[in-house]
Amino acid sequence: MSELVSMEKLVSLCKRRGFIFQSSEIYGGINGFWDYGPYGTTLKRAIENLWWKEMVVSREDVEGLDSTVICNPMVWKASGHLEKFGDLMTDCRDCKARHRVDQMEDPSLCPNCGSKNLTEPREFNLMMKTYVGPISDEDHAAYLRAETCQPIFVNFHNVRIASRQKLPFGIAQVGKAFRNEINPRNFTFRSREFSQMEMEYFCADEEAMEWFEYWKEQRTKYYYDYLNFSDETLRIHKHDELAHYAKAAVDIEYQFPFGWGELEGIHHRGTWDMSRHQQYSGENLEYFDQKNKSKFIPTVIETSVGLDRTTLAVLCNAYDEDTAETQKIGKAEDVRVVMRLPFKVAPVQAAVLPLSKKLSEKAEGVYNDIKKQFRSEFDITGSIGKRYRRQDEIGTPYCITVDFDTIEDDTVTVRDRDSMKQDRVSAGKLINYLNDQVK
Ligand code: GAP
């Protein structure tokens, strides 16, 4: 993470450049809900696609699933969410602030106003409730999923039979999850509606620790290789306290401006979920191993990532300001804000900027060529300096300038976002040139 980034600067850039907006902003917003603007949507989708390619498309042992947000409420009874999925909370009687007890440094003092006039801590369930059908009574109550993995467990046999997979294999899904968080905070980091990317890997119990180590390594590598995170900003945090059914758990954490925060959990979930669903549904969820002629409930290793948190970490990681002489535009003290987004996830990978409106026909031709391969933008509005600044804030790795020489010799200027180096390139070889740079 750049030392220059503060959440205040980032939130302001996200709004200004159309990455992230407050949900229903014209009505004053709604706490814990966020909308992604044009560039934010593309960035988030690119991160999701990278994950999906890495975890599903490029593997033979992981299948995809896209389940509903609302399931039979028995799913949440079996998973334990209805009985116990919450936090202890307390209210300050003086300033009316509400707090999660586990997040208070001194649980006897209000962190907001310092008062000791707090209510007794009480359990608060995070499941979001709704009603299915026209009658709003308990018989028709249903819940928005609090994690995307439970529908994976209940579809184990459906997916296994349809895909003809044998153990070990995984099922992955990306989708929305909802939690009625007591204190949503730190921008999108803790939201009430968010997306998860989860993969449940089913295996024999005796192989589970090996798979746990394998997935820990794979998932850590992903952040270095694809998202350009470094040792300074990424760490693995081993859980000291484990759920009663779990044998091992680690979190992959990123250093946000507000401190270290969890991006992903790798969990050895034992046979807990599958056993509970077998017990509550009355269906046999055992796996028959033909080689050993044995029947058993599979053990599960889970990799669970927050897509919004990863997107936020990518944005924090990309934020930079530079004041080098060559980058000054206008006033001497001008500072360039630049989002150094990795090429693979940048919402705009190349922008075509004609120097004059008279060049727009030629520039459109260049744009039409490159947009077939790269996420591209055509921008003709404002001075060239301002257009560069705008693309720097969006994080566009390459700006292609079409000038009057282009008409003469069919060459364009390619400006590299990070080095600010400019190359003169033949328009016909532009796609090859960009491909080479990316390599
Ligand atoms: N199936 C396991 C599970 O859901 P979790 O640690 O509760 O585990 C997994 O959540 C990931 O989902 C977290 O690492 C985080 O990235 C993301 N996540 C959880 N709660 C979130 C929230 N309120 N807002 C945004 N992301 C959240």
Side-chain angles (χ1 to χ4, degrees):
M1 183 194 64
S2 151
E3 280 166 20
L4 299 160
V5 67
S6 65
M7 284 316 284
E8 212 180 349
K9 283 183 187 172
L10 193 79
V11 171
S12 151
L13 181 137
C14 281
K15 156 120 199 208
R16 183 167 75 246
R17 291 303 178 201
F19 282 98
I20 302 171
F21 308 127
Q22 213 181 357
S23 163
S24 32
E25 193 188 75
I26 61 166
Y27 289 101
I30 169 164
N31 199 7
F33 295 87
W34 300 95
D35 292 339
Y36 286 79
Y39 297 121
T41 308
T42 311
L43 172 67
K44 188 174 154 197
R45 192 152 296 174
I47 295 171
E48 176 188 333
N49 288 345
L50 268 186
W51 184 87
W52 191 259
K53 194 166 168 214
E54 175 82 2
M55 298 294 284
V56 184
V57 180
S58 67
R59 300 191 64 105
E60 284 172 17
D61 59 346
V62 179
E63 303 289 340
L65 181 74
D66 187 0
S67 78
T68 56
V69 164
I70 293 176
C71 312
N72 187 313
M74 284 302 287
V75 169
W76 305 108
K77 200 158 184 191
S79 68
H81 282 78
L82 289 184
E83 190 192 326
K84 199 164 171 36
F85 178 60
D87 296 311
L88 278 182
M89 68 170 184
T90 177
D91 290 315
C92 173
R93 292 195 184 91
D94 291 334
C95 75
K96 310 292 178 219
R98 178 163 286 174
H99 307 289
R100 254 173 72 173
V101 176
D102 65 326
Q103 288 175 345
M104 293 164 79
E105 237 164 67
D106 177 354
S108 66
L109 276 186
C110 171
N112 200 34
C113 72
S115 163
K116 287 195 167 197
N117 195 8
L118 301 172
T119 60
E120 275 302 307
R122 57 189 187 283
E123 278 280 347
F124 177 76
N125 192 292
L126 303 185
M127 293 292 288
M128 291 230 194
K129 195 173 188 178
T130 185
Y131 298 93
V132 174
I135 304 162
S136 302
D137 63 13
E138 280 314 297
D139 289 343
H140 297 83
Y143 301 87
L144 309 191
R145 67 182 176 206
E147 53 182 14
T148 53
C149 62
Q150 293 301 329
I152 292 181
F153 300 132
V154 302
N155 272 297
F156 170 70
H157 276 323
N158 281 340
V159 175
R160 182 187 62 77
I161 293 163
S163 62
R164 298 176 297 168
Q165 287 281 3
K166 290 189 171 53
L167 251 53
F169 78 95
I171 306 177
Q173 99 157 316
V174 180
K176 291 278 191 175
F178 300 80
R179 296 182 189 176
N180 203 1
E181 297 282 357
I182 296 169
N183 263 338
R185 59 181 178 174
N186 293 330
F187 201 19
T188 56
F189 182 82
R190 190 174 303 287
S191 315
R192 288 180 165 140
E193 174 177 341
F194 54 95
S195 297
Q196 287 186 318
M197 308 190 286
E198 296 198 295
M199 193 279 305
E200 310 299 317
Y201 203 73
F202 300 87
C203 57
D205 196 51
E206 56 275 19
E207 294 173 359
M209 275 319 287
E210 245 172 80
W211 284 114
F212 176 82
E213 290 302 328
Y214 169 84
W215 283 111
K216 191 171 88 180
E217 197 179 300
Q218 290 291 308
R219 295 301 308 145
T220 311
K221 199 168 164 297
Y222 165 92
Y223 291 98
Y224 292 104
D225 290 358
Y226 292 111
L227 302 181
N228 291 357
F229 294 171
S230 66
D231 286 339
E232 283 101 68
T233 52
L234 205 71
R235 74 175 185 193
I236 299 228
H237 169 76
K238 191 164 168 267
H239 285 216
D240 297 326
E241 276 180 40
L242 293 175
H244 63 90
Y245 51 82
K247 288 218 178 99
V250 293
D251 294 336
I252 300 178
E253 296 183 339
Y254 178 80
Q255 185 164 40
F256 290 96
F258 47 81
W260 288 98
E262 176 189 332
L263 295 180
E264 171 158 3
I266 323 273
H267 309 126
H268 180 314
R269 295 180 75 117
T271 55
W272 161 258
D273 305 275
M274 296 297 280
S275 304
R276 292 276 290 196
H277 286 301
Q278 172 162 290
Q279 183 191 339
Y280 279 73
S281 67
E283 293 282 326
N284 185 348
L285 295 185
E286 286 173 320
Y287 174 78
F288 179 64
D289 186 336
Q290 288 185 331
K291 216 161 83 197
N292 301 324
K293 304 278 177 261
S294 62
K295 259 188 184 174
F296 56 90
I297 294 201
T299 291
V300 172
I301 304 299
E302 170 183 80
T303 70
S304 173
V305 196
L307 176 53
D308 306 80
R309 281 192 191 175
T310 309
T311 307
L312 183 61
V314 167
L315 286 165
C316 290
N317 208 52
Y319 187 96
D320 201 4
E321 291 173 5
D322 87 36
T323 49
E325 192 70 28
T326 48
Q327 285 134 23
K328 285 178 188 163
I329 296 169
K331 284 181 281 165
E333 64 275 18
D334 258 354
V335 171
R336 177 175 83 126
V337 173
V338 52
M339 296 295 281
R340 302 193 193 277
L341 290 169
F343 185 86
K344 279 202 163 86
V345 298
V348 181
Q349 296 173 313
V352 178
L353 316 173
L355 262 192
S356 148
K357 288 209 163 75
K358 291 185 191 131
L359 297 162
S360 41
E361 202 183 316
K362 177 72 192 162
E364 266 173 40
V366 173
Y367 167 65
N368 286 336
D369 266 359
I370 63 164
K371 78 175 184 195
K372 291 181 203 137
Q373 265 213 34
F374 304 105
R375 290 189 288 273
S376 312
E377 195 170 273
F378 181 80
D379 187 7
I380 199 161
T381 315
S383 73
I384 189 70
K386 283 203 174 125
R387 278 183 274 163
Y388 279 148
R389 281 294 177 90
R390 183 171 177 277
Q391 295 300 337
D392 286 340
E393 289 200 352
I394 292 165
T396 308
Y398 298 101
C399 282
I400 296 147
T401 315
V402 173
D403 55 27
F404 288 99
D405 286 346
T406 313
I407 307 289
E408 301 296 318
D409 61 8
D410 205 34
T411 62
V412 293
T413 301
V414 183
R415 169 189 178 267
D416 180 293
R417 174 196 67 198
D418 297 330
S419 67
M420 307 276 294
K421 220 177 95 223
Q422 306 213 358
D423 271 349
R424 201 74 198 172
V425 177
S426 151
K429 294 194 175 137
L430 196 51
I431 291 185
N432 285 351
Y433 175 87
L434 291 175
N435 275 324
D436 282 350
Q437 300 300 308
V438 176
K439 267 186 225 147

